[in-house]
Amino acid sequence: KVNLHKYAIDVYFIYLIIYKPSISMKMKKIKIYLLMLLFSQPIFAQNQEVVYENIFLVPEKNNEALLVEGVKAHNQEYHSEGETRASLYSVLIGPHSGQYVWLNGPMTLSDYDNFPDENHLADWQKNVRSYISSEEVKMAKLNWEASYTPPSWGSPKYLLWRTFKIKQDMDSYGKVLDAVTKIGETLSEMNAENPRRVYESVFRSENREDITLVYPFKSFTRFSNGNGLPDNFQSKYDKINGYGSFKRDIGNVITKYTNGWYDEVLMLVE
């Protein structure tokens, strides 16, 4: 069994642990703890299957505070031990703005064969479903090859999710995945400072929004001179891969094989 604390220095995506009221004084001294390793120096060996469950929660506005407290209580009771942890994000920008995202992982697909027991489901009903109008479940699998993971990064408060709207024909998915893989390879060649993970939907969505790039960030100033990638990334890509290669490998592919993309910004709920 892996000792999570061993990775406390190298981990670059940490979550706030949810303490019970009885240890609230300790919480003042230890606010940040490893809760989930979505962007960490991986506990799972590289290329081992890593899956996250994402549940979008639409709050009843009059009960929003109760929802947040209910999710924290549920997580503390059922998702605060072991390698798989859960956390809550609010969606600040994008199509799901005003909603929350409950993230559960990392796990493997075989973990889904162990369905929550009656008490677990009853607690979700009481503490979560009582305060929402709807929920939408997605499962996302990490693509190691397409991702870029520097050895350490810190503790970001925000996530940028960039989702492609892939065309429905047979060739488009593979072409887009190849393009984002080439970006990851170039980030590695550059020794870029910031990570970028690539997640694929386990089950195909109706609108083919099945490849999402995830950029953790600490401040919105990150976007003063860029869109998530390093400054002047296009020229650096061309320098590494040959003049005009960014347009050929990335720009033309995204134009031809997608109907564009959209961004969402998530903030960790403390």
Side-chain angles (χ1 to χ4, degrees), residues 29-92:
K29 297 179 181 179
I30 309 175
K31 291 189 68 179
I32 298 181
Y33 191 83
L34 292 175
L35 182 61
M36 181 171 154
L37 302 170
L38 184 57
F39 302 101
S40 69
Q41 177 76 16
I43 279 178
F44 287 89
Q46 188 158 340
N47 296 321
Q48 186 170 341
E49 185 175 72
V50 173
V51 177
Y52 281 85
E53 180 182 21
N54 310 327
I55 303 183
F56 288 89
L57 305 172
V58 181
E60 294 179 344
K61 290 304 178 182
N62 292 336
N63 292 318
E64 192 163 353
L66 293 174
L67 171 63
V68 171
E69 292 306 312
V71 171
K72 289 181 178 181
H74 178 83
N75 287 350
Q76 176 62 30
E77 184 67 26
Y78 293 100
H79 301 280
S80 62
E81 296 180 356
E83 293 175 353
T84 297
R85 304 296 181 95
S87 193
L88 184 68
Y89 276 80
S90 61
V91 184
L92 303 180

Side-chain angles (χ1 to χ4, degrees), residues 13-19 27 30-36 72 75 86-89 155 157 268-270:
F13 180 33
I14 61 178
Y15 285 80
L16 301 180
I17 195 167
I18 302 161
Y19 287 95
M27 186 177 180
I30 309 175
K31 291 189 68 179
I32 298 181
Y33 191 83
L34 292 175
L35 182 61
M36 181 171 154
K72 289 181 178 181
N75 287 350
S87 193
L88 184 68
Y89 276 80
S155 54
K157 183 176 182 179
L268 181 66
V269 175
E270 299 184 11

